[in-house]
Amino acid sequence: MTDSDQGGAGGAGDDAVDRLSHDWLTGLLGQFIRASGLLQPDRPLLGERVSLSEGWALIELAEGSPLTQRDLTERLGLEKSTVSRLVAGLERRGLLTRRRNPANRRFHQVAITEDGRAAVGRLADAMLERHDRILAAMTSAERDALTTGLTALVRAMGQASAGADSDEAHHG
């Protein structure tokens, strides 16, 4: 049996993996993801007992509570089933409430609780303190370049995602 028969060296995907491992954007994003702890979804976010996704859900709710669960799903850009599990977990811990929307009983309405709002306050303080430390370690020119680069990256990712969605609609 050869290496390629076992999925080892010489397999059809090896060329793509090799190209990816030498791609500068993949390398930078990988460093960013590892440095920020995004590969550790069970690790508490900045000392809070919430994951990154849960933290962002609470922040969205703190800014616009109550929301329908559908609106929260759209704001987070996650699958409905993922948000349903996320909301159920936050509800069990008393950080949000979920009830039928009185205007349309087919939908759930999600609202942040006082405990959830307190958690968001602690998260916000910890995030801002961390951001201040990170930005203080950069020069003014680096901060400007970061703002320009991240803004452009987010825009380009949105355009690429929209193009992929359009391609899937036409070919799927």
Side-chain angles (χ1 to χ4, degrees), residues 37-38 40-41 43-45 50-57 86 127:
L38 295 176
Q40 303 166 352
R43 185 176 114 193
L45 180 62
V50 296
S51 70
L52 183 62
S53 298
E54 291 171 330
W56 281 112
L86 184 146
M127 283 177 145

Side-chain angles (χ1 to χ4, degrees), residues 23-162:
D23 175 65
W24 67 270
L25 182 57
T26 299
L28 282 174
L29 289 174
Q31 290 175 37
F32 172 77
I33 288 167
R34 286 187 292 279
S36 61
L38 295 176
L39 293 177
Q40 303 166 352
D42 296 331
R43 185 176 114 193
L45 180 62
L46 299 170
E48 284 300 312
R49 58 187 180 114
V50 296
S51 70
L52 183 62
S53 298
E54 291 171 330
W56 281 112
L58 289 173
I59 289 168
E60 287 293 339
L61 287 167
E63 292 174 351
S65 192
L67 294 173
T68 66
Q69 196 164 316
R70 172 188 253 170
D71 288 340
L72 182 61
T73 298
E74 288 176 13
R75 286 185 183 200
L76 295 174
L78 297 172
E79 297 292 324
K80 287 189 309 187
S81 60
T82 300
V83 173
S84 181
R85 284 189 304 274
L86 184 146
V87 165
L90 291 171
E91 183 179 30
R92 274 192 305 277
R93 288 180 299 200
L95 300 174
L96 60 77
T97 60
R98 176 175 42 176
R99 63 185 174 95
R100 291 285 176 191
N101 185 337
N104 186 340
R105 307 269 314 146
R106 294 176 299 150
F107 298 108
H108 281 102
Q109 198 169 44
V110 184
I112 194 165
T113 63
E114 287 304 314
D115 286 347
R117 201 168 290 285
V120 169
R122 292 187 301 272
L123 273 174
D125 289 342
M127 283 177 145
L128 292 171
E129 182 182 313
R130 184 174 185 188
H131 295 166
D132 286 345
R133 283 194 317 268
I134 292 167
L135 295 173
M138 300 170 74
T139 67
S140 177
E142 288 171 330
R143 287 189 299 272
D144 290 345
L146 177 66
T147 300
T148 301
L150 281 178
T151 301
L153 181 61
V154 168
R155 177 188 42 74
M157 289 172 72
Q159 289 172 345
S161 177

